[in-house]
Amino acid sequence: MHIEVAPIVARLQRDVPVAEALIDDAMIALLSLTTSVVTARRDTAGVPAAKGHAMIQRLTKAQMSLVDISGDVLRVHGELVTIGRETAGYDLHEDCPQRKSAVLPLHAAA
């Protein structure tokens, strides 16, 4: 079965950077939340330092999970580039679009 490669490549060139940007946006949002939680704990009178520590650990664990996910998606991106070169002769790193944020930056939403 012959499949036209160009539409597949175009879809991947659109979807991979969007996924990468969304993961970055999620990491930024989690970091912002973590900052807000730690700041609230520090600035709220009478709250002991140990209060909320488990919550902060969970946020940090979630952040590390996103870092792992980001690395996996970047490796997939590299593997797709290799497949493109091997199967279609594409030099896809040169054709990869610049990454753009898929959502508004946090400062734009405020």
Side-chain angles (χ1 to χ4, degrees):
M1 171 166 72
H2 181 329
I3 297 175
E4 181 62 35
V5 176
I8 295 168
V9 170
R11 186 172 55 247
L12 289 169
Q13 286 179 326
R14 178 193 69 225
D15 291 348
V16 170
V18 168
E20 291 169 344
L22 286 170
I23 293 165
D24 284 348
D25 290 343
M27 286 195 295
I28 291 166
L30 261 178
L31 286 169
S32 179
L33 175 59
T34 303
T35 300
S36 295
V37 167
V38 173
T39 302
R41 181 181 69 172
R42 181 197 64 196
D43 294 346
T44 303
V47 175
K51 195 70 163 178
H53 186 72
M55 178 176 39
I56 294 166
Q57 283 181 311
R58 283 191 290 277
L59 286 168
T60 303
K61 184 178 176 183
Q63 185 70 31
M64 285 308 302
S65 295
L66 284 173
V67 170
D68 291 341
I69 290 167
S70 177
D72 288 339
V73 170
L74 289 171
R75 281 187 285 284
V76 165
H77 189 159
E79 290 170 13
L80 287 168
V81 168
T82 299
I83 291 168
R85 277 195 200 116
E86 291 172 354
T87 61
Y90 285 117
D91 190 5
L92 295 176
H93 269 301
E94 291 179 9
D95 294 337
C96 289
Q98 292 292 336
R99 286 179 40 172
K100 296 178 185 169
S101 180
V103 294
L104 286 176
L106 290 177
H107 67 277

